Amino acid sequence: MKKQLIISVGREFGSGGHVIAETLAKRFDLPLYDSNILESIAQERNVDAKTLHRYDEVPRNILFSRRVREYSTSAEENIAQMQFEYLKKKADEGESFIVVGRCAETVLGDRPNVISLFVLGDSEVKCKRVMEIYDLSERDAQFKMDRHDKYRKQYHNYYCKDKWGDSRNYDVCVNSAKLGIERTADILEEYIKEFAQ
C-alpha cells in the first residue's frame, strides 16, 4: 500500500454511500471523516458544535450573506471553508483517511494518493431503503431524497468547478442497487487495493 491513502466518497441520498464508506474505513483501518469534522473544529475554536452542524453541507443562503473580497458573512460558506482547511491539513500531515462528501474529490483532488468514488442507486431501491431507515411513506421518502440531493448538488456545485455526480469527476462511479451495499463495498475494496499497490 502507498504511504498515504485518501478515499473520497460522494453519494446520492439513500444509495448507502455512507455505509459503504464506514465499511471501507473498517476494512482499511482508516479514520472516517464526515460531519464529525465539526466536533474537532468546534473544540479548536471553542464554539458550540450544534451551531456548526446546522450549516453542514448546506448551500449558501444568498439573501442573508454578503461577500467582500475574500471575506463572507455566510455561516454556510465559512463552515464549508473550515472543513476544507481541516481536510487539507490532515492530508498535508500525511494522514490516510476516508472522507464522505465535503467536496473532497475537488478539495484534495490535486494529491496523487486520492481515490474518488461516487455511489448512486436506482430510485426505487433508494426510496425503499429510505422508507425503511426513516419509517416514512413512499411520498415522504421520495421528498426527503430529492431535498437532500438538491442541497448536496447546490453545495457541491457552488464550491467546485466540476458538477456533482458527473462521472468524469470521479475515479469510480457505482450503482449500489445492482449488487447491494455489501457486495459493492467488496468490489470497491478490491479496486482500492489495486490502486494502493
Side-chain angles (χ1 to χ4, degrees):
M1 193 182 295
K2 288 179 181 171
K3 203 171 191 182
Q4 183 183 38
L5 174 64
I6 299 171
I7 303 167
S8 159
V9 182
R11 75 284 182 220
E12 290 180 345
F13 192 80
S15 67
H18 199 283
V19 174
I20 288 169
E22 289 172 340
T23 302
L24 294 172
K26 284 178 191 160
R27 292 183 187 181
F28 288 98
D29 193 26
L30 295 174
L32 176 71
Y33 295 132
D34 55 12
S35 60
N36 62 0
I37 292 173
L38 296 174
E39 307 296 329
S40 300
I41 292 171
Q43 252 185 338
E44 284 173 13
R45 296 176 183 246
N46 200 25
V47 295
D48 180 31
K50 284 181 187 171
T51 304
L52 300 182
H53 279 285
R54 199 171 339 148
Y55 302 105
D56 183 33
E57 282 197 307
V58 177
R60 179 177 74 104
N61 186 330
I62 56 170
L63 296 176
F64 297 107
S65 62
R66 206 174 135 203
R67 191 160 191 61
V68 179
R69 293 190 192 106
E70 69 273 9
Y71 300 103
S72 173
T73 61
S74 165
E76 299 91 348
E77 194 167 347
N78 289 324
I79 288 165
Q81 292 300 333
M82 283 186 236
Q83 291 184 78
F84 301 159
E85 292 307 313
Y86 182 91
L87 292 172
K88 287 176 187 174
K89 183 177 174 228
K90 290 291 182 186
D92 289 343
E93 289 168 353
E95 184 177 323
S96 292
F97 56 88
I98 295 182
V99 59
V100 178
R102 277 129 201 97
C103 303
E105 81 286 345
T106 299
V107 171
L108 303 173
D110 60 340
R111 295 153 199 269
N113 298 328
V114 174
I115 184 165
S116 61
L117 314 173
F118 190 84
V119 183
L120 58 137
D122 296 341
S123 187
E124 317 78 59
V125 176
K126 292 188 301 180
C127 188
K128 186 177 176 202
R129 187 166 187 275
V130 171
M131 286 168 66
E132 289 170 5
I133 291 171
Y134 297 98
D135 192 27
L136 296 172
S137 68
E138 184 176 350
R139 184 172 168 268
D140 289 344
Q142 190 65 54
F143 177 78
K144 188 174 182 72
M145 284 166 43
D146 292 345
R147 188 185 66 214
H148 276 275
D149 282 346
K150 178 185 171 188
Y151 286 161
R152 284 177 182 169
K153 185 176 188 175
Q154 287 175 344
Y155 171 87
H156 184 281
N157 293 352
Y158 178 76
Y159 295 107
C160 305
K161 184 180 80 172
D162 300 320
K163 301 302 179 197
W164 180 79
D166 184 337
S167 62
R168 291 168 292 195
N169 306 324
Y170 305 90
D171 296 311
V172 178
C173 289
V174 63
N175 184 337
S176 63
K178 301 301 180 193
L179 299 175
I181 291 170
E182 193 67 29
R183 190 73 187 106
T184 300
D186 293 342
I187 289 165
L188 291 173
E189 179 184 7
E190 287 306 309
Y191 186 92
I192 293 162
K193 282 178 178 172
E194 286 292 321
F195 170 82
Q197 283 185 358

